[in-house]
Amino acid sequence: MSSPRSISTVDRISALPDSVICHILSFLPTKQSAATSILSKRWNPLWHSVFTLDFDDHGFADFATFRYFVFCVMLARDPTLPLRSFRLKCGASQGCDPQDINRFVRAAVQRGTQNFIMETDLVKTDREFLTELGSTVSTIFNSRNLVVLKLKTLLVTDLPQINFPLLKTLHLKKVYILRDFNKLIEGCPILEELEITTSFLFRFSKDGIGEFKHSNLVRVNISKFGPQNFPFAWICNAKILRLELQRSEDQVHAFHNLTHMELIFTSNWRTKWKWLLEMLKNCPKLQNLTLHKLYGHGIDEDDWKEPEIIPNCLSSQLRTCSLIYYKGMKCELQFAEYVLKNANLLRTMTISASPGDLTLKHQMLMDLSLCPRGSIASPQSGRYGGILALRHGPPSATLVDGELANEYEIQAEAKESST
């Protein structure tokens, strides 16, 4: 019997160049990165040369201990060493002091950080606490080196003149800007990604709205924000758009570059179908469409009216369409039928039904299988229909190149109809 293969005791990681080890450490929170200093004499100084700092007060006994750790790290670090990324998450530990947060942020900005991420993790938003972070706000918005800026839970009572010549990514969550939000958007001339979530208190000055447009925007995500207040003309060059809609604005802007659009309807209004069709008409390059909660309480089932003119994106561009939380209402079925009939290049149609009776779900899928079908991207498929399947759990049906995909455990034959 052969002896078992001996296990190598060579420390291959320690044999790596310092630059590679520092790169590996940059993916760790700073607390864990600092802990590697006890491994050996060689490892002891390496974490000081990492280009990223990631501080989180969760797991510290109290904020005083956390504050001591942050200051020790900042003082031990070579001040001439670049700081590419700085992340600060605090509010979980007892005794969190906004003045200390101001000092942390100022130290990071003075070192020329390019990626700045800050989260104040408060259980209940404390206006007085947020107001005392005024120095932090001023420091952040006067930094010209930022490429990525992500803020969570911050109160901005007044904005300075903004100039972010390098900023490409801006994420704002629970950030309340009480006035002149225009300054922030217009101060980011090369912005590529914009995300705004749960921000109801934005105020815009009327001067300049509709004149400024971001030409570099690729991805936009606006959630839990009243679109009637947001100047959508600023983001009309986006290629990927996700909107969580409470209600529509009167004017529908043209999105000439948009290829992906996701709309989540969180409330209802009488002209929603009209607004949706107008939106499709103004997105000539749209290839992927996802709609959540298309039907909701308070909407007349007969509100749908098929337009005489088919949007160009339907007839010549649309590849995928997904209807999420589908209830099988008459207006929803009419819209699904309209898409299937007119989307000549459609490859995949996904229907995800709302929870409910399995018999009703089966009937919904049967109704969908009988919808007339326009020309399809794959000419080898000569019929629409196939196998319908149902199961407990998240219900959905997927149409791929004219066929309903067999995704379920309980199957039922569907009628076939030639195209």
Side-chain angles (χ1 to χ4, degrees), residues 139-395:
T139 301
I140 294 172
F141 290 119
N142 279 291
S143 175
R144 294 170 57 88
N145 296 318
L146 293 179
V147 177
V148 175
L149 177 59
K150 300 180 181 182
L151 302 174
K152 178 183 176 183
T153 315
L154 201 62
L155 176 65
V156 182
T157 56
D158 194 13
L159 276 172
Q161 193 61 40
I162 303 296
N163 184 11
F164 285 140
L166 305 178
L167 195 69
K168 294 185 177 181
T169 300
L170 176 62
H171 290 187
L172 304 175
K173 184 175 183 179
K174 295 183 180 179
V175 175
Y176 305 104
I177 300 179
L178 301 186
R179 55 180 299 179
D180 296 337
F181 181 63
N182 310 49
K183 290 182 181 180
L184 179 55
I185 294 295
E186 295 173 3
C188 312
I190 64 170
L191 192 66
E192 296 179 358
E193 181 176 330
L194 174 64
E195 183 173 312
I196 301 176
T197 307
T198 319
S199 300
F200 299 99
L201 302 180
F202 285 5
R203 295 292 182 267
F204 306 94
S205 61
K206 295 182 179 179
D207 297 337
I209 288 184
E211 300 176 3
F212 182 82
K213 296 181 180 180
H214 272 290
S215 58
N216 296 301
L217 268 181
V218 175
R219 186 184 299 271
V220 176
N221 181 0
I222 309 294
S223 301
K224 297 182 180 179
F225 185 97
Q228 77 284 358
N229 294 325
F230 193 88
F232 280 91
W234 288 351
I235 61 172
C236 62
N237 287 316
K239 297 179 181 179
I240 302 172
L241 179 63
R242 182 183 184 274
L243 293 178
E244 189 169 327
L245 294 167
Q246 294 179 334
R247 53 189 180 275
S248 69
E249 61 173 5
D250 295 333
Q251 182 181 3
V252 177
H253 297 278
F255 290 82
H256 294 295
N257 300 320
L258 197 66
T259 58
H260 294 69
M261 180 167 66
E262 182 176 0
L263 301 176
I264 299 99
F265 296 97
T266 60
S267 63
N268 305 287
W269 61 91
R270 180 66 61 183
T271 59
K272 180 164 70 174
W273 291 108
K274 180 181 178 181
W275 180 88
L276 176 58
L277 290 170
E278 284 296 318
M279 192 70 175
L280 293 177
K281 290 178 183 177
N282 282 277
C283 303
K285 295 182 180 179
L286 188 66
Q287 297 183 11
N288 302 279
L289 174 65
T290 300
L291 301 173
H292 296 252
K293 301 178 181 178
L294 196 54
Y295 179 88
H297 299 293
I299 294 298
D300 189 345
E301 282 197 50
D302 296 327
D303 193 38
W304 164 262
K305 293 182 181 179
E306 186 168 325
E308 296 179 0
I309 300 176
I310 301 172
N312 289 334
C313 66
L314 277 185
S315 60
S316 61
Q317 295 292 331
L318 196 67
R319 266 57 169 188
T320 69
C321 180
S322 299
L323 304 181
I324 314 299
Y325 292 106
Y326 181 88
K327 292 187 176 182
M329 299 297 181
K330 180 180 178 181
C331 53
E332 291 178 300
L333 181 60
Q334 289 173 326
F335 178 78
E337 181 178 0
Y338 175 73
V339 172
L340 290 170
K341 182 172 62 176
N342 296 294
N344 296 326
L345 299 181
L346 189 68
R347 295 174 181 171
T348 304
M349 181 87 173
T350 300
I351 308 293
S352 179
S354 299
D357 182 80
L358 282 177
T359 303
L360 294 177
K361 294 173 190 174
H362 180 258
Q363 185 59 48
M364 283 191 289
L365 298 179
M366 291 293 289
D367 292 339
L368 287 167
S369 71
L370 299 176
C371 290
R373 184 78 167 89
S375 301
I376 54 177
S378 299
Q380 68 270 19
S381 177
R383 63 187 177 89
Y384 172 73
I387 298 295
L388 283 176
L390 304 172
R391 70 175 176 184
H392 295 286

Side-chain angles (χ1 to χ4, degrees), residues 115-151:
N115 300 347
F116 186 92
I117 304 170
M118 176 177 165
E119 302 179 30
T120 50
D121 190 17
L122 303 176
V123 176
K124 182 179 180 181
T125 302
D126 186 334
R127 185 182 179 92
E128 182 179 355
F129 181 96
L130 295 177
T131 301
E132 291 185 37
L133 292 176
S135 176
T136 291
V137 172
S138 178
T139 301
I140 294 172
F141 290 119
N142 279 291
S143 175
R144 294 170 57 88
N145 296 318
L146 293 179
V147 177
V148 175
L149 177 59
K150 300 180 181 182
L151 302 174

Side-chain angles (χ1 to χ4, degrees), residues 30-56:
T30 301
K31 185 178 180 181
Q32 295 181 14
S33 176
T36 62
S37 61
I38 66 173
L39 295 178
S40 68
K41 290 183 179 180
R42 171 152 187 265
W43 280 82
N44 184 276
L46 289 180
W47 71 277
H48 291 295
S49 301
V50 175
F51 293 156
T52 64
L53 293 177
D54 184 348
F55 297 110
D56 187 344

